[in-house]
């Protein structure tokens, strides 16, 4: 069994980004990321802090717009409109989830597609489905980058993705399809989940339920990518896979933490850099 070390790869990627940012600096460009955080959810705050720190490490300018829980949708949309016009901002990211009174789709659709570094705008989602260049959501992008780094063949493989959200499962399925894998997307309504997971050469899980994936439902020598993040009562961070019992059966497996999490941040930085490189033709 080999560990898919997302932490180490993310570090390599950050080092490369830092060098590219220095080159852009010489051309008078500092890549800029604006993050909008609504409300005081501790998990969201912690993710936003991690993103801001990663920007700082790599020389990307970042600014966080903190807004109260009861913010009116119109004010949020005005902030996005202002950021869309700001020539120093290359990427705009709205930390999800948003409060219930806000229409998340309307907010995501307000972001200019060329600044949509989270890749959640339907424009970029559509481009992924059509296998065209665009912004790929950071978590699915990080998963594919990690697998490719370890030279894991995707073409022709049976890939099962458990969890079918717009931000993780669905785009991840589309990316695997673009790599010529055969994909199965499972979700809460899937009947007999084990029937599918047992057939997976590559099993990716993005649900948020610790120990959902046990060793009896994983194929021998499977590649297992654990995307889930849950905080246990004792403070430990775990994924969706029963790691101690599943890992001996795998050919490759991601740890939690230290697997997909750091790759997500690195991918966001890559997207911001990509947006900055396109800047001269945009303004
Ligand atoms: P979500 O709640 O939007 O979607 C969860 C998905 O899991 C849904 O499609 C649902 O149908 C499915 N599901 C729920 N229970 C199931 C079950 N028993 N069997 C099969 N499918 C089931 O969540 P999300 O935003 O996609 O996030 C999923 C997990 O990934 C969470 O733990 C989240 O914290 C984590 N996550 C991690 C990263 C990272 O960087 N590592 C990034 C994003 C999300």
């Amino acid at each position: 069994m080999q560990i898919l070390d997302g932490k180490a790869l993310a570090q390599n990627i950050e080092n490369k980004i830092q060098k590219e940012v220095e080159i852009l600096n010489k051309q008078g460009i500092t890549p800029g990321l604006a993050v909008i955080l609504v409300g005081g959810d501790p998990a969201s705050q912690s993710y936003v802090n991690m993103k801001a720190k990663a920007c700082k490490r790599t020389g990307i300018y970042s600014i966080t717009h903190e807004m109260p829980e009861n913010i009116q949708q119109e004010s949020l949309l005005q902030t996005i409109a202002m950021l869309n016009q700001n020539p120093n901002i290359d990427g705009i990211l709205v930390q999800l989830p948003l409060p219930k009174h806000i229409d998340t789709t309307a907010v995501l659709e307000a972001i200019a597609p060329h600044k949509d570094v989270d890749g959640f705008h339907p424009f970029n989602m559509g481009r992924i489905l059509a296998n065209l260049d665009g912004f790929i959501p950071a978590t699915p992008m990080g998963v594919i980058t990690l697998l490719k780094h370890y030279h894991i063949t995707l073409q022709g493989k049976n890939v099962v993705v458990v969890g079918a959200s717009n931000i993780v499962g669905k785009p991840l399925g589309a990316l695997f399809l673009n790599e010529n894998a055969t994909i199965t997307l499972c979700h809460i309504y899937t009947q007999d989940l084990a029937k599918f997971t047992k057939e997976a050469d590559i099993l990716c899980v993005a649900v948020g339920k610790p120990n959902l994936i046990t060793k009896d439902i994983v194929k021998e020598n499977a590649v297992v990518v654990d995307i889930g993040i849950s905080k246990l009562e004792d403070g430990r961070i775990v994924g969706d896979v029963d790691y101690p019992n599943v890992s001996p059966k795998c050919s490759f497996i991601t740890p939690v933490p230290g697997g997909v999490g750091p790759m997500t941040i690195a991918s966001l930085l890559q997207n911001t850099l990509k947006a900055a490189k396109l800047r001269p033709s945009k303004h």
Side-chain angles (χ1 to χ4, degrees), residues 4 205 225-230 236-241 243 253-262:
L4 296 168
V205 196
V225 178
D226 192 352
I227 301 161
I229 301 176
S230 300
R236 274 186 304 139
I237 302 289
V238 295
D240 293 337
V241 177
Y243 187 89
I253 188 166
T254 56
V256 178
V260 176

Side-chain angles (χ1 to χ4, degrees), residues 147-183:
L147 294 174
K148 285 190 172 175
H149 176 76
Y150 282 88
H151 305 291
I152 293 168
T153 306
L154 307 181
Q155 183 161 301
K157 292 296 165 74
N158 273 342
V159 176
V160 175
V161 178
V162 186
S165 69
N166 281 346
I167 63 173
V168 187
K170 277 191 218 169
L172 184 56
L175 292 180
F176 276 118
L177 187 57
N178 291 345
E179 297 290 339
N180 299 322
T182 301
I183 54 163

